[in-house]
Amino acid sequence: MSDVRQHADDIHDQFSDHLDVSVEDVEERLATLVDEYKVPMDEARRSVTNHYLEEAGLERDDLSSGSSEAVNVEDVDEPEEWVDLTAKVIELWDPRSDSVAQVGLLGDPTGTIKFTKWAKSDLPALEEGGVYSLQNVVTDEYQGRYSVKLNSTTIIEERDEDIEVGDDTSVIEGALIDMQSGSGLIKRCPEDDCTRVLQNGRCNEHGEVEGEFDLRIKAVVDDGLDAHEVIFDKDATENLTGLSLEEAKDMAMDALDTTVVADEIAADIVGTYYRIEGPTFGRYVLADDVTELDGPADAEELLIKARSM
Ligand SMILES: [Zn+2]
């Protein structure tokens, strides 16, 4: 079943007692918003739901929350799902955009996850250290890193209990055996809270946009047992390579080609041993703390390994 069809089914279920409407009609409305107008799915869903609420003369509270399911943080591994979480607010960060009321990190015994609360959702403020049950939040994914979005259908209840937050930090010691595509000098979508990496000047969500340059490395680090995917953000990349974003831009401009940056970085780091520490998000480890090691520099063995991947 397609994504749109699944969401259409959910919405249809909510209204089946109230309106004579077909799943196909719901699906068509959703598809128009998502495919033609490039509206993000959670907004499209809200908009279509509002349309039917109006048609049925109902308030949102009259509907059952329907499809959302109680999960733990570690269970969040699909985007666009409606879930219920009970979690503690570990940190609040400064929103980078007026459309976001609050952004920060939630945690439960199984791990941590970023949350975003939209300004227009008009929800009560979450406090740092507070424990809340959050019903009807939507999952999202960016580079294997999951987050949840609190929206106007979300129900927030403060809980009078403390919960322990699981530690999901990883430490990897091993050889950096490969650098994946999408590394080096990249362009990101400049839209509020999007930052998706552009493919040929296009954002998956916002279409053609004027991208903003960024540096990042997606690497494979082999600890002798497993291969781990590690992401270095701009700061981690600058620290690792000694190459600044400005220098990388100059280098690409001189060559009239951005791939020279990735080539230069790969030549510098592939085959080197590192100790990498950082949080785990989905299948990725984010490199927070990196130390170069004097590893067994058997370059030939490493190359054989890299080629076989
Ligand atoms: Zn975008």
Side-chain angles (χ1 to χ4, degrees), residues 189-191 194-196 198 203-207 209:
C189 178
E191 291 290 320
C194 178
T195 71
R196 281 176 174 79
L198 304 185
C203 168
N204 255 341
E205 188 105 12
H206 299 102
V209 288

Side-chain angles (χ1 to χ4, degrees), residues 35 37 47 62 103 120 148 150 186 203 209 256 258 284 302:
D35 297 338
Y37 295 101
S47 161
D62 298 334
V103 58
K120 64 181 175 212
V148 290
L150 281 53
I186 56 163
C203 168
V209 288
L256 298 173
T258 54
Y284 294 104
L302 284 173

Side-chain angles (χ1 to χ4, degrees), residues 225-243:
L225 290 172
D226 284 310
H228 303 269
E229 291 181 82
V230 180
I231 295 207
F232 298 77
D233 66 7
K234 173 175 155 289
D235 288 346
T237 300
E238 288 181 343
N239 286 337
L240 184 72
T241 61
L243 182 71

